Amino acid sequence: MTQRITRPSTSVTALAPASRYSVPLSATPRGARLARILAVEQLASWGLLLDQARLLVAELAANAVQHGRVAGRSFRLTLAVAPSATLRIEVTDTRGDRLPVRVPGLGGVLAESGHGLLLVEELADRWGVEEGPVPCKTVWAEVDLVRVAGC
């Protein structure tokens, strides 16, 4: 039995972001590493030094390369800080036909893949998948900056 993993968006994208960064990257392991490096640099330029965000970008970019890759097409990394003090991380790939699913195995253990989504679930305050525009999908994660700053 497979279960599609989606969570409702809090409509952060409906707000005009205070800061926004978006870049296309090659759907290769090198592109995934570059996504993490660029995200760390961009967040630092905004005064945000979040290991949590770095790990989320690394996992979402790696998933885009491993599960969302289409030869000759790139994926897009987008970072946005909304006025509501929320960091939104989006990774858009061109495999809208392959949405993240969790496949439970024996004893509730996940199958061979899907472990990274557990990390995303632990690190993000909210996350989910938005389908479209065809042929794309966007996997997103949000981090509440107020909570992070208070830790």
Side-chain angles (χ1 to χ4, degrees), residues 3-123:
Q3 177 183 0
R4 192 175 283 187
I5 301 170
T6 59
R7 295 197 180 170
S9 172
T10 58
S11 298
V12 169
T13 53
L15 299 172
S19 302
R20 186 173 176 83
Y21 174 80
S22 188
V23 62
L25 297 159
S26 65
T28 63
R30 186 176 190 176
R33 282 191 307 275
L34 186 56
R36 181 182 45 80
I37 291 166
L38 291 172
V40 167
E41 290 298 317
Q42 185 60 50
L43 292 172
S45 77
W46 291 337
L48 303 173
L49 303 173
L50 304 173
D51 281 339
Q52 180 179 5
R54 180 182 54 83
L55 292 171
L56 285 166
V57 169
E59 184 56 41
L60 295 179
N63 284 349
V65 168
Q66 184 175 1
H67 304 292
R69 183 174 186 272
V70 173
R73 294 189 182 165
S74 59
F75 71 93
R76 177 169 293 280
L77 168 67
T78 302
L79 305 172
V81 178
S84 62
T86 300
L87 170 65
R88 184 172 172 107
I89 301 163
E90 297 180 346
V91 174
T92 303
D93 65 51
T94 54
R95 287 297 304 262
D97 60 321
R98 294 190 68 184
L99 299 176
V101 294
R102 184 178 297 172
V103 183
L106 296 174
V109 175
L110 293 178
E112 238 179 83
S113 63
H115 293 74
L117 293 176
L118 289 175
L119 179 65
V120 171
E121 189 165 328
E122 267 313 297
L123 293 172

Side-chain angles (χ1 to χ4, degrees), residues 52 144-151:
Q52 180 179 5
D144 295 333
L145 300 175
V146 173
R147 183 186 63 79
V148 171
C151 293

